[in-house]
Amino acid sequence: MEMSREEARRRAARKRAAAKRKKYRRRRLMVLAAGLLIVALLVVGIVSLVTRAVKKNQPASALEPTAAAASAVADTLLPTAAMTALPTAVPATPIPATPAPAIQADWYIERTEQLYKNLSTYGNYPDAASIYRALDKMQIDPNGKMLALTFDDGPYPPITGAILDVLEANHARATFFIKGAYVDANQDLVKRELGLGCEIGNHTTNHDDLEKLSPADRRTTVGDVNDKIYRLFGYRIHLLRPPYISYGKKGSDTREDIVAMAKELELAIVNHTRSSHDSHEDYTAQMMIERILAEKDELGRGLNGSILLFHDKYQKTVEAMKVIIPALQQQGYQLVTVSELLNCSKEGLHYGWIYSKAD
Ligand SMILES: [Zn+2]
C-alpha cells in the first residue's frame, strides 16, 4: 500500500521527536554524571584533608620519609591548594562559602618547591621526613589570620642570629630586607634565614636613598643585591624595601623611574603598615611589645594582614620578639612571609606595585 504524503511527513516528525527525546535523555544522564563526579571529587578532597589532619596528630615517626624529590613535595601539599581552588570552579555545591582570598594553586606549588629547595640546601634537618614535617608547619590557611614580620638592615651579627634563634624556637618565619654590603661577611646568616623558610628582600647595597641617586645608580645599588644573592645562594629576590621609605613623590619622574626599575628587576616595592619603633632610641622592648600587640594602630587598622617593621640590629628587638612571636601565635596569627601575605591578599603580588604606605 502506498503511504500518503501526509503520513510520511507525520512519520518523519515522530522519528525526529523520538531522536530529540533520546538526545535529552542522554544530556540529562551527562549532567547527572558530571554532578556525581563533582561530589566524588569533593569527597576525595575532604577525605585527603581529614587524613592529613589525622596524620598531623600522630607522633612524628608515623610520617613516612619519601623520596626527596621536589615534585613529591608538591603532591604531598597539593590537596590544600586544590581544595581552596575547587569551590570557585564548582559553585553549585554544598561546600561552604568560597574561601577568600583563595590560594592560587600554581603559586602555592612553586612557593613550596622553593621552600623545599631552601630547607634541604641550607636547613639543618637530619632527614627528608623532618623536612616534610617542617614544610607541613609552613602550610597556609588562606582563611586564617596572618601577618608578616620584617627585619631591616641586616645581616648583622650577633643580633640576626639571636632573632633567628627566637624564630626557630617558635617555628616562626619572617622576611629579612638585607643590605648587600653585609652579605659577603655574613653568608652563614643568610643561609640560616633561607634554611628556616624565611624570605629575603632587597634593602639596596649600602642603605642608599633611592631618591637621591641617578636612574643608573639606582639600578646598580638594587640590581647588585639581586645578583649577589642569586650568585651565592641560587635565590631570586622579589621584594624591594627602599631605605628611608624614599621612592619619590607620587606623580614625580623619580617615582616613575623607581617603579619602572622595580618592574625591570621583578620586584614589588614593600613598606610596612606598623612599625615597632625599635630604631627610636627612647623606645624600650616593653613599649615595642605594647605597640605591636595593640589591637588597632593610630589609623584604626587592625593587626590582621599587617606588615610589621623591626630591625635585626638591636638587642631590645630580640627581647621584644621573645614575647611578641608567641603572643601573636596564641592569638591565632599565621606568621607568613611578605610574598605569602601579598599572594594571599585580594590584590596579589605584582612587580612594580607599591604596597602598604599611604601616599
Ligand atoms: Zn633600613
Side-chain angles (χ1 to χ4, degrees), residues 258-325:
I258 289 172
V259 164
M261 171 197 69
K263 254 189 219 161
E264 286 159 31
L265 299 177
E266 302 194 334
L267 296 165
I269 298 171
V270 176
N271 302 299
H272 61 270
T273 56
R274 194 181 287 206
S275 167
S276 64
H277 282 183
D278 58 354
S279 57
H280 297 197
E281 232 176 272
D282 56 352
Y283 239 70
T284 63
Q286 187 53 37
M287 290 158 84
M288 289 170 61
I289 292 165
E290 282 162 23
R291 187 178 165 78
I292 289 295
L293 296 180
E295 220 166 279
K296 303 260 181 213
D297 66 9
E298 51 282 293
L299 296 176
R301 295 174 299 190
L303 260 177
N304 193 21
S306 291
I307 299 176
L308 306 176
L309 171 65
F310 303 88
H311 295 83
D312 48 337
K313 58 180 181 184
Y314 308 110
Q315 183 55 36
K316 67 184 179 187
T317 304
V318 178
E319 301 313 319
M321 294 322 295
K322 288 178 186 167
V323 176
I324 288 171
I325 290 178

Side-chain angles (χ1 to χ4, degrees), residues 95-299:
I95 280 283
T98 302
I103 290 182
Q104 295 250 327
D106 286 353
W107 164 74
Y108 198 65
I109 290 168
E110 203 178 297
R111 161 261 186 207
T112 306
E113 284 175 351
Q114 174 75 61
L115 275 175
Y116 178 83
K117 187 176 153 223
N118 294 344
L119 264 60
S120 55
T121 310
Y122 302 115
N124 190 20
Y125 304 91
D127 50 29
S130 56
I131 295 180
Y132 288 125
R133 279 197 295 277
L135 282 176
D136 206 36
K137 287 202 175 75
M138 296 175 193
Q139 289 218 58
I140 302 171
D141 170 8
N143 296 309
K145 299 195 287 185
M146 60 180 88
L147 46 78
L149 305 170
T150 69
F151 296 91
D152 288 8
D153 298 3
Y156 190 86
I159 303 297
T160 304
I163 295 279
L164 289 168
D165 289 343
V166 183
L167 289 171
E168 186 172 11
N170 291 285
H171 302 291
R173 299 181 298 135
T175 302
F176 291 86
F177 288 95
I178 59 170
K179 255 176 80 169
Y182 286 175
V183 168
D184 285 324
N186 298 295
Q187 293 183 38
D188 286 351
L189 286 170
V190 178
K191 286 180 184 169
R192 203 173 155 214
E193 287 166 357
L194 293 172
L196 289 174
C198 293
E199 179 167 20
I200 309 280
N202 190 325
H203 204 41
T204 78
T205 298
N206 266 310
H207 210 271
D208 300 305
D209 185 339
L210 293 179
E211 265 188 51
K212 294 184 178 154
L213 298 181
S214 70
D217 287 346
R218 275 176 205 139
R219 281 156 180 76
T220 302
T221 186
V222 174
D224 281 357
V225 180
N226 279 11
D227 293 347
K228 186 191 282 272
I229 294 299
Y230 186 67
R231 198 175 62 244
L232 291 175
F233 311 106
Y235 178 90
R236 287 199 195 282
I237 290 180
H238 289 300
L239 305 174
L240 168 66
R241 177 168 279 167
Y244 316 107
I245 321 173
S246 166
Y247 48 94
K249 284 200 177 57
K250 199 174 181 180
S252 67
D253 289 350
T254 305
R255 167 73 65 92
E256 209 170 287
D257 180 64
I258 289 172
V259 164
M261 171 197 69
K263 254 189 219 161
E264 286 159 31
L265 299 177
E266 302 194 334
L267 296 165
I269 298 171
V270 176
N271 302 299
H272 61 270
T273 56
R274 194 181 287 206
S275 167
S276 64
H277 282 183
D278 58 354
S279 57
H280 297 197
E281 232 176 272
D282 56 352
Y283 239 70
T284 63
Q286 187 53 37
M287 290 158 84
M288 289 170 61
I289 292 165
E290 282 162 23
R291 187 178 165 78
I292 289 295
L293 296 180
E295 220 166 279
K296 303 260 181 213
D297 66 9
E298 51 282 293
L299 296 176

Side-chain angles (χ1 to χ4, degrees), residues 100-102 104 305 307 339-351 353-356:
Q104 295 250 327
I307 299 176
S339 281
E340 289 167 348
L341 187 80
L342 296 181
N343 271 294
C344 289
S345 73
K346 276 200 303 286
E347 293 78 17
L349 187 157
H350 306 278
Y351 305 143
W353 279 34
I354 298 165
Y355 292 90
S356 65

